[in-house]
Amino acid sequence: MKVELTVNGQPRVADLEPRVTLLDCLRDHLDLKGTRAGCEHGVCGACTVLVDGVAVRSCLMLAVQSDGLDIRTIEGIAPTPGELDVVQDAFCETHGLQCGYCTAGMIAAAHGLLRHNIDPTEEDVREAISGNICRCTGYGQIIEAVLLAAERLRGRNLRPGETPVTEAAE
Ligand code: FES
Ligand code: FES
């Protein structure tokens, strides 16, 4: 089946069997390996991506279900190559990653939260990442990172992925 997606702002087409998951479509057919395969049955959250701005476990979604939808993976979260977005930057600053295996999924989960709530409580952050396992158990620093990113976004009156009007015009 032909599946047409928008991935990281670019139109992409994949010819797939109906059984192929969105995770395998991204990694094996579109060569976007930043999205991690962990348990592959919906438990660990390593495969989390944004689907129309909502954090979704891509191993639980068939690629054909995402036909026509907007997908954002970790490769499309940084504003430009070599630059970090506010959430990624906060993860670095608070040491919110160790081996990094969970990080792409954690950052997608954080974006899913911050896109509709830039003033989350610690409880909101815990809830947002509750489906994501960090096998290095760095949860304290991850929560700190999401709260720091939220504070910075509030300071700039932005949501994740938005560009200040002055910068956009430059
Ligand atoms: Fe999808 Fe674990 S790989 S939830
Ligand atoms: Fe290693 Fe989270 S940083 S799994």
Side-chain angles (χ1 to χ4, degrees), residues 1-6 11-20 25 29-30 62-69:
M1 293 182 70
K2 195 164 96 170
V3 179
E4 296 182 21
L5 315 165
T6 301
R12 303 291 300 264
V13 180
D15 198 6
L16 305 166
E17 290 182 38
R19 64 177 177 81
V20 174
C25 171
H29 296 266
L30 302 180
L62 294 172
V64 294
Q65 292 175 295
S66 54
D67 189 57
L69 302 182

Side-chain angles (χ1 to χ4, degrees), residues 46-146:
C47 64
T48 305
V49 297
L50 294 165
V51 178
D52 281 352
V54 176
V56 168
R57 293 171 207 193
S58 60
C59 71
L60 292 184
M61 186 169 186
L62 294 172
V64 294
Q65 292 175 295
S66 54
D67 189 57
L69 302 182
D70 183 75
I71 313 296
R72 191 152 297 263
T73 69
I74 193 68
E75 290 91 345
I77 279 181
T80 57
E83 204 180 335
L84 298 178
D85 98 303
V86 64
V87 180
Q88 293 171 311
D89 193 47
F91 268 68
C92 289
E93 195 163 324
T94 66
H95 306 287
L97 64 156
Q98 294 171 65
C99 78
Y101 204 85
C102 71
T103 308
M106 287 288 186
I107 287 174
H111 268 255
L113 170 68
L114 297 174
R115 283 177 185 220
H116 67 85
N117 178 7
I118 54 168
D119 194 10
T121 62
E122 182 176 326
E123 199 51 42
D124 294 333
V125 176
R126 286 180 184 275
E127 173 69 25
I129 65 164
S130 62
N132 293 63
I133 293 172
C134 175
R135 62 187 174 184
C136 302
T137 68
Y139 296 106
Q141 293 100 315
I142 291 169
I143 292 165
E144 197 184 327
V146 181

